[in-house]
């Protein structure tokens, strides 16, 4: 049976097939603002995305994912805590069964209803697949979602959900600009971590934005209409697809802001 988020295949069981689950730089973590150290040497994030690189939207059985053409540098991340240039590969979300949980990172124990991950890979390597297992291979920008007014930019994504309800469904998705999902203020925390799903590679420079974006409760409910299960199988709602915070193991969390 493959990994998932249930009692019999969820985060507490992943170590059985992925021993790195008990590693020294696992993600997510609880971010404690008072314990983060301000680093004046951290640069502002420089994110440039080209909507024409947007390819499709997919239900991969673990999340909803929007994939980008990464054969050029036109959608990329530079500066911030990283050196070099990282290309955008995909973005996806994690969310709860109710508005009181769903994010992977937490802030002083506070859970948000959802968390957006924008996944970038280091162009010192030849591809995402090669970069995904290297200590400096990936940079993931995390953005919290909080309950508020309807988010019109999220609406474009949600409209596609009915056509990708079940696992393995995908549909073309063009001209979406992921920068419309970024908060106005790009202050961030950064630390060395991992993929939050198997294979849990310790290859991620995490960049977690302090400021959340909003989603309405109705928009959050739309995420919960997606299914973990494939067409024809017993419908299994895609909810609680988040890993809980992992031990810090001596790591330092730096803040780009005072
Ligand atoms: N949630 S998260 O943003 O931390 C996040 C981001 C990206 C992830 O990729 C999983 C993955 C890696 N590979 C892979 C394929 C071929 C070679 C090497 C790796 N396939 N799927 C998982 C979690
Ligand atoms: Zn993720």
């Amino acid at each position: 049976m493959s990994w998932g988020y249930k009692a019999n295949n969820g985060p507490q069981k992943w170590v059985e097939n992925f021993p790195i689950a008990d590693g020294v730089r696992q993600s997510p973590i609880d971010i404690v603002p008072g314990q983060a150290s301000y680093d004046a040497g951290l640069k502002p994030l420089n994110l440039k995305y080209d909507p024409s690189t947007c390819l499709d939207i997919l239900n991969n059985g673990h999340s909803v994912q929007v994939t980008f053409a990464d054969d050029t540098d036109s959608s990329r991340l530079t500066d911030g805590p990283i050196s070099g240039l990282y290309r955008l590969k995909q973005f996806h979300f994690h969310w709860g069964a109710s508005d009181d949980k769903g994010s992977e990172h937490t802030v002083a124990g506070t859970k948000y209803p959802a968390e957006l991950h924008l996944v970038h890979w280091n162009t010192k390597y030849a591809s995402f697949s090669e970069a995904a297992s290297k200590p400096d291979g990936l940079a993931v920008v995390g953005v919290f979602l909080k309950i508020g007014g309807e988010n019109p930019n999220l609406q474009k994504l949600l409209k596609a959900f009915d056509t990708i309800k079940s696992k393995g469904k995908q549909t073309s998705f063009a001209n979406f600009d992921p920068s419309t999902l970024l908060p106005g203020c790009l202050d961030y925390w950064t630390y060395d971590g991992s993929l939050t799903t198997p294979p849990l590679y310790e290859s991620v420079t995490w960049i977690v934005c302090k400021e959340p974006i909003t989603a309405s409760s109705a928009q959050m409910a739309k995420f919960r209409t997606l299914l973990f299960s494939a067409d024809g199988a017993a419908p299994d709602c895609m909810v609680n697809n988040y890993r809980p915070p992992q031990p810090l193991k001596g790591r330092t969390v730096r803040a780009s802001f005072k």
Side-chain angles (χ1 to χ4, degrees):
M1 169 207 328
S2 88
W3 66 269
Y5 292 93
K6 299 265 185 302
N8 63 354
N9 66 357
Q12 304 313 321
K13 299 277 187 171
W14 293 350
V15 66
E16 293 169 9
N17 291 313
F18 305 94
I20 194 84
D22 284 350
V24 296
R25 57 175 279 192
Q26 289 290 294
S27 294
I29 59 168
D30 179 41
I31 296 167
V32 184
Q35 289 165 19
S37 20
Y38 169 62
D39 180 347
L42 285 171
K43 297 176 185 168
L45 296 180
N46 185 0
L47 292 152
K48 282 198 174 36
Y49 294 140
D50 172 358
S52 75
T53 60
C54 191
L55 293 176
D56 57 45
I57 186 167
L58 156 76
N59 175 334
N60 61 22
H62 307 296
S63 183
V64 53
Q65 177 178 305
V66 176
T67 305
F68 288 77
D70 60 356
D71 52 330
T72 75
D73 286 344
S74 46
S75 289
R76 79 282 191 291
L77 164 65
T78 53
D79 299 336
I82 58 158
S83 40
L85 185 149
Y86 288 57
R87 286 182 189 170
L88 177 68
K89 173 75 187 162
Q90 52 106 329
F91 69 78
H92 63 272
F93 297 82
H94 303 264
W95 61 91
S98 49
D99 291 348
D100 59 327
K101 60 190 173 185
S103 65
E104 299 210 295
H105 292 89
T106 54
V107 180
T110 301
K111 294 183 175 88
Y112 285 88
E115 187 173 332
L116 160 64
H117 289 159
L118 296 136
V119 182
H120 309 78
W121 56 273
N122 192 335
T123 54
K124 79 189 259 192
Y125 303 109
S127 65
F128 167 82
S129 298
E130 189 188 318
S133 58
K134 306 297 189 293
D136 60 350
L138 303 179
V140 182
V141 175
V143 181
F144 295 117
L145 276 67
K146 72 173 184 184
I147 302 302
E150 179 169 292
N151 185 326
N153 302 302
L154 216 43
Q155 207 51 28
K156 289 176 205 154
L157 287 172
L158 304 187
K159 279 196 312 206
F161 284 11
D162 292 341
T163 61
I164 56 159
K165 196 176 170 68
S166 39
K167 176 180 179 178
K169 295 254 178 180
Q170 85 179 58
T171 189
S172 64
F173 194 70
N175 293 310
F176 184 78
D177 180 357
S179 51
T180 63
L181 297 179
L182 295 172
C185 173
L186 291 179
D187 286 348
Y188 62 89
W189 294 287
T190 184
Y191 75 97
D192 294 339
S194 74
L195 302 179
T196 66
T197 69
L200 299 169
Y201 291 143
E202 296 188 330
S203 60
V204 182
T205 298
W206 274 99
I207 299 165
V208 180
C209 294
K210 175 195 68 180
E211 184 182 307
I213 60 169
T214 64
S216 67
S217 208
Q219 288 182 310
M220 286 316 310
K222 191 70 184 169
F223 278 93
R224 304 183 189 115
T225 66
L226 294 167
L227 300 176
F228 283 128
S229 44
D231 238 355
D236 181 11
C237 286
M238 185 179 278
V239 296
N240 297 326
N241 55 351
Y242 66 92
R243 189 190 194 189
Q246 301 301 304
L248 197 53
K249 299 206 174 167
R251 287 174 283 178
T252 297
V253 178
R254 290 181 290 158
S256 73
F257 61 96
K258 277 193 178 164

